[in-house]
Amino acid sequence: MAPIPGSGLAKGLAVTLRTMTKKTVTAQYPDAQPELPPRTRGVIGLFEENCTVCMLCARECPDWCIYIDSHKETVPPAAPGGRERSRNVLDRFAIDFALCMYCGICIEVCPFDALFWSPEFEYAETDIHELTHERDKLRDWMWTVPAPPALDPGAEEPKEIAAARKSAEKLAAAAQPEPTPEPTPEPGAAPRTGPGPAPQAKPTDPQGGES
């Protein structure tokens, strides 16, 4: 059977009419910002105070896109008679996002929680060399990191909190004074029933009778 002339046009117009009556779902970016999930991998924020320059993130990065420079600084002794200590001071922390593949290995291996995922994604540049962001920019992105979600009520207590709680309980138990044991009554003494002085036992003669 030959198709009816103009049937294709009629179907196309029907689809257009059905679409015109529905509410649009297009977000007019950048006027309307998208609602991103809390675990969005946008950029990496740096919490500089937690960084100890252990270089673990730079060594584990498969793209070698993390650049860290530091120097050693001598710290005076905390108490008289102590010895001086040396610590690493962070001079530069930069990430080349032109090389980064957003695998998150650097965040996972950081032992001191100095790196976090930020949902920021508007950092496009006209020059590829400008995609290497220094620690000042990474620090600004740190304040856009969302708060972690609440724990599941049935989840196990984190080991750090459990260890701290046990240590606090041990210190509280050690600080409590030990109870004073009550004196053991001598044989033949009358039982003590009140707050007054304890009654004395009656002396006995060698024959076993009372004197």
Side-chain angles (χ1 to χ4, degrees), residues 59-138:
R59 291 198 301 266
E60 296 295 333
C61 177
D63 292 333
W64 293 85
C65 64
I66 300 177
Y67 310 107
I68 300 176
D69 293 331
S70 65
H71 70 276
K72 288 190 176 296
E73 185 178 80
T74 302
V75 180
R83 65 182 181 88
E84 295 181 346
R85 298 180 179 272
S86 62
R87 64 166 183 168
N88 293 323
V89 180
L90 184 65
D91 293 329
R92 185 195 183 200
F93 195 108
I95 299 178
D96 187 357
F97 286 97
L99 296 177
C100 178
M101 63 179 186
Y102 305 90
C103 62
I105 294 178
C106 58
I107 298 176
E108 294 177 3
V109 301
C110 180
F112 301 104
D113 292 335
L115 298 174
F116 296 87
W117 279 117
S118 168
E120 291 292 326
F121 62 92
E122 298 175 315
Y123 55 96
E125 302 291 346
T126 56
D127 189 356
I128 192 174
H129 298 288
E130 296 180 359
L131 284 174
T132 302
H133 295 288
E134 301 292 333
R135 64 177 182 176
D136 294 336
K137 187 64 176 179
L138 302 180

Side-chain angles (χ1 to χ4, degrees), residues 3 7 13 25 72 74 82 104 144 152 159 174 180 191:
S7 59
L13 291 175
V25 294
K72 288 190 176 296
T74 302
T144 63
D152 188 352
K159 59 181 181 179
T180 305

Side-chain angles (χ1 to χ4, degrees), residues 134-159:
E134 301 292 333
R135 64 177 182 176
D136 294 336
K137 187 64 176 179
L138 302 180
R139 176 62 178 248
D140 293 339
W141 282 333
M142 180 63 206
W143 307 124
T144 63
V145 174
L151 296 177
D152 188 352
E156 296 182 359
E157 187 178 26
K159 59 181 181 179

